[in-house]
Amino acid sequence: MVEVLLLIGFVVAAFVGYNIGGATTGPAFGPAVGADVISKSGAAALMSVFFFIGAGTLGQRVVTTLGEDLVTGGNVFTLETSIVVLFFIGGALFVGNFAGVPASTSMTAVGAIAGLGLATGTLDRAVMGEIAIWWIVAPIIGFWVSGVVGRYFYPAIDSWVAIESTDGALFEVDRSGIVPKPVPGPNTTRRELVGGFVVIAIGCLMAFSSGTSNIANAIAPLVALDNVEMTPMILLGSAAVAVGAFTIARRTLDTLGNDITDLPLTAAIVVACVSSGIVISLSAVGIPASFVIIATMSIVGLGWGRATRTVTVRQGISGEKEPKVSVGALKADETGPIGEGDPTDIPSASDLFNPSTSARVVLMQNVVPILSTVGALVTFTVLFRFVW
């Protein structure tokens, strides 16, 4: 009986990993796919490799936090409770993936485990409080760092990494030798090639950061068991993520790369660097972070910083000049000194975001973690009161 339950646990953990691959590949490589720098299959392959690297290194610390520190009491995580927790994590993420929306896997997983802890009275409120505080602080940091970049450094970055697309593919596969190798397309310029490598490298960084934070969401409940080793579970979880990246992630790649926003490539690179840096830093100290929420606030902060370039600090404090603050500022083509430029040239937010898709994303970002948390809390409350 134990062997059967353990097998079920492995299957459910793989199901969670599959949905993580679907939910996180879009944020990592959506900008690159949307800019036609890389194919969906190429994005999935890179996602698989760098997620595994992140999971096998810093990811182990987050596994320990979720599997051992968040709930106290040695007998809380049993095969049965672990399977139920993973079921709610995977089920909630599947709802988001089915809708084509990359939900926060960390918030979904922590919510399910917290539901177990609340139902059994074993939730370590200090650890939960620390995680919750960082969920609030990290997006604020992302906002302000991106705001500073947008106000003071964005024009220089834009002139360095801007890609001027030419006709034809950016890369082609040369099969003339024994081993096929990628080569520049026939019309690819050096600047376009460098820009392409930059945006792909940023996607790999984001995939690594996803591995550091999200592998725990798939395997932590099982690793908490005495007879389950971490390394084989990391291999299982990473393999499941790869399957999700090659299959269901195609929907989130379309959403992030084409549907939700016409985000300039330079802005996407800045947001990716800031968000990934924060996630990796938190993973290094064992804190599961929500990349999607941090990235969203980074976009807003970057737009705010761009919009306020038309106003100096003195003008802003004295009220002499008010900036037109809008995320549409990310499309403004203003590169002059701070305090100069016409704020009426900044496009409106509706020119940058697709309102209907954005509303769907915001809705599902809240619904998915709520489904996981409430579902686990109610289920475990009933089970421990009437069954177990």
Side-chain angles (χ1 to χ4, degrees), residues 234-254:
I234 288 178
L235 292 173
L236 173 65
S238 298
V241 167
V243 175
F246 276 99
T247 53
I248 198 172
R250 292 178 176 273
R251 292 178 61 89
T252 57
L253 281 169
D254 284 334

Side-chain angles (χ1 to χ4, degrees), residues 38-57:
I38 191 173
S39 67
K40 291 179 181 179
S41 297
L46 291 176
M47 180 70 193
S48 304
V49 172
F50 284 92
F51 183 96
F52 171 69
I53 296 174
T57 52

Side-chain angles (χ1 to χ4, degrees), residues 278-352:
I278 294 173
V279 171
I280 292 172
S281 299
L282 291 178
S283 297
V285 293
I287 300 295
S290 173
F291 177 88
V292 174
I293 294 177
I294 296 172
T296 299
M297 291 304 296
S298 294
I299 292 173
V300 176
L302 190 60
W304 176 83
R306 288 285 285 148
T308 58
R309 280 185 61 84
T310 60
V311 180
T312 64
V313 173
R314 182 183 62 79
Q315 290 171 334
I317 294 175
S318 64
E320 297 177 18
K321 196 174 180 182
E322 294 185 3
K324 178 184 176 183
V325 179
S326 167
V327 288
L330 295 177
K331 280 197 165 184
D333 189 24
E334 178 273 313
T335 59
I338 292 175
E340 297 183 4
D342 187 358
T344 61
D345 292 336
I346 297 175
S348 65
S350 60
D351 294 330
L352 182 62

Side-chain angles (χ1 to χ4, degrees), residues 203-217:
C204 293
L205 174 65
M206 294 171 70
F208 174 83
S209 71
S210 176
T212 65
S213 181
N214 290 321
I215 188 62
N217 305 330

Side-chain angles (χ1 to χ4, degrees), residues 38-243:
I38 191 173
S39 67
K40 291 179 181 179
S41 297
L46 291 176
M47 180 70 193
S48 304
V49 172
F50 284 92
F51 183 96
F52 171 69
I53 296 174
T57 52
L58 298 179
Q60 298 188 44
R61 301 184 181 184
V62 184
V63 172
T64 301
T65 297
L66 294 190
E68 300 178 9
D69 300 338
L70 186 56
V71 292
T72 57
N75 59 349
V76 176
F77 275 118
T78 64
L79 266 175
E80 293 84 358
T81 59
S82 297
I83 291 172
V84 175
V85 166
L86 289 171
F87 170 80
F88 279 108
I89 297 173
L93 290 176
F94 182 77
V95 172
N97 285 329
F98 185 78
V101 176
S104 171
T105 55
S106 292
M107 293 181 70
T108 303
V110 171
I113 296 174
L116 168 63
L118 287 171
T120 58
T122 59
L123 179 66
D124 190 321
R125 298 180 185 273
V127 175
M128 185 67 236
E130 183 180 6
I131 294 174
I133 288 173
W134 277 111
W135 281 354
I136 297 172
V137 172
I140 296 174
I141 294 174
F143 173 89
W144 282 109
V145 172
S146 296
V148 170
V149 172
R151 179 173 171 84
Y152 297 103
F153 306 108
Y154 189 90
I157 297 174
D158 187 53
S159 64
W160 178 59
V161 302
I163 297 178
E164 300 176 0
S165 298
T166 58
D167 294 333
L170 182 65
F171 297 102
E172 293 183 347
V173 178
D174 181 7
R175 293 184 170 84
S176 59
I178 299 177
V179 179
K181 59 181 180 180
V183 296
N187 298 318
T188 300
T189 63
R190 180 181 295 274
R191 182 180 182 83
E192 186 181 14
L193 187 64
V194 172
F197 274 118
V198 168
V199 74
I200 291 174
I202 296 302
C204 293
L205 174 65
M206 294 171 70
F208 174 83
S209 71
S210 176
T212 65
S213 181
N214 290 321
I215 188 62
N217 305 330
I219 69 173
L222 289 177
V223 173
L225 303 175
D226 293 334
N227 58 341
V228 178
E229 297 294 331
M230 183 179 297
T231 300
M233 291 304 300
I234 288 178
L235 292 173
L236 173 65
S238 298
V241 167
V243 175

